[in-house]
Amino acid sequence: KQWYQRRVRGLACGWSIVLYQAVLELSTAQNPTYVYERCKVALKISQTLALLEILHAAIGLVRSSPMTTFIQVQSRLVVLWLVLDPVSEVHGYSNVPMMIIAWCIAEIVRYWYYALSLVDKVPYLLTWCRYSFFTFLYPIGVSGELLTIYSILPIITATGLFSLSLPNKWNVSFNYPIFLMLYMAGYVPYLPKLYMHMLKQRSKMLGKAAADGEKKAN
């Protein structure tokens, strides 16, 4: 597990770099316009490497559900690579740094939790943060994702980005704005279920952490 420990520490550092760059840009320029431009390289690398988390969940390296992990990872990758990155007009919208910072805090806490759990040295405070911060970071992050998708709809409708109209040699059509609207609608059925699942995990893991703390104290 040493290679996994090195990897999660590296990702915690990677997300810390993204957070530092985003906060620095906001504090110095006080303008969200260049936040994404400042941190996009580290953000793309860190978020894309999250694809491995699906595999890690599937083979039991982490306690997360593979399906839950897939849903979370794919939604961020869609927003990052297919929504935010190709449409520079929305980079300055306030929901973008809001979303990025929420992602960063969640991932920094999560990866340090994973790293320390491998050596059985997770302090209760970190466990509490791991299973409590989602209560506000998840709504902030998801709101940022949906607002980002919604904000590009008029732009991609006008430009035809990623859309394919007839006639063409493949004889197929694809309307990217409609696809994104359906994708946004897809958030509705799984968001409450995912949130309730995480609340159950919070109760379970915090109770276990408290019990383990009492055993060590005795």
Side-chain angles (χ1 to χ4, degrees):
K1 292 184 178 181
Q2 289 183 349
W3 66 271
Y4 181 71
Q5 189 177 44
R6 288 194 294 268
R7 179 183 174 274
V8 294
R9 286 179 176 176
L11 281 169
C13 293
W15 280 105
S16 297
I17 291 171
V18 178
L19 180 61
Y20 170 77
Q21 291 175 332
V23 172
L24 182 65
E25 188 63 37
L26 279 175
S27 62
T28 54
Q30 296 183 344
N31 188 326
T33 303
Y34 301 109
V35 169
Y36 177 70
E37 291 299 323
R38 180 72 176 262
C39 67
K40 68 179 181 181
V41 174
L43 176 61
K44 287 177 179 178
I45 293 171
S46 299
Q47 188 57 67
T48 303
L49 285 173
L51 282 168
L52 292 173
E53 291 301 315
I54 302 170
L55 175 62
H56 295 160
I59 63 177
L61 275 177
V62 294
R63 296 174 181 174
S64 303
S65 160
M67 182 55 66
T68 300
T69 304
F70 170 77
I71 291 171
Q72 292 174 319
V73 170
Q74 64 83 23
S75 66
R76 289 187 184 181
L77 289 175
V78 167
V79 172
L80 177 60
W81 286 104
L82 299 181
V83 176
L84 180 58
D85 193 63
V87 185
S88 59
E89 292 89 340
V90 302
H91 291 178
Y93 291 10
S94 59
N95 53 277
V96 172
M98 173 185 78
M99 174 184 71
I100 291 173
I101 290 172
W103 287 358
C104 287
I105 297 172
E107 296 304 87
I108 291 168
V109 171
R110 186 167 70 93
Y111 283 120
W112 276 118
Y113 174 85
Y114 287 161
L116 293 177
S117 66
L118 290 172
V119 293
D120 196 26
K121 293 184 178 180
V122 183
Y124 180 79
L125 179 60
L126 182 58
T127 301
W128 185 89
C129 292
R130 166 77 176 96
Y131 290 99
S132 299
F133 278 13
F134 80 88
T135 56
F136 60 91
L137 290 176
Y138 191 66
I140 292 172
V142 169
S143 297
E145 292 171 22
L146 290 172
L147 286 170
T148 302
I149 296 172
Y150 180 78
S151 64
I152 77 163
L153 292 177
I155 300 168
I156 62 174
T157 299
T159 62
L161 179 71
F162 297 151
S163 291
L164 187 64
S165 58
L166 293 171
N168 58 67
K169 63 181 180 180
W170 297 287
N171 199 33
V172 294
S173 63
F174 176 71
N175 189 297
Y176 190 45
I178 291 178
F179 167 79
L180 286 182
M181 285 188 279
L182 292 174
Y183 188 80
M184 290 173 69
Y187 275 69
V188 176
Y190 84 79
L191 280 180
K193 293 181 181 178
L194 191 56
Y195 197 79
M196 292 305 297
H197 169 75
M198 291 189 291
L199 284 174
K200 290 178 181 177
Q201 285 295 104
R202 179 180 187 274
S203 178
K204 175 183 175 182
M205 297 306 296
L206 291 186
K208 181 178 181 297
D212 289 345
E214 289 178 3
K215 288 181 181 178
K216 290 179 181 179
N218 296 329

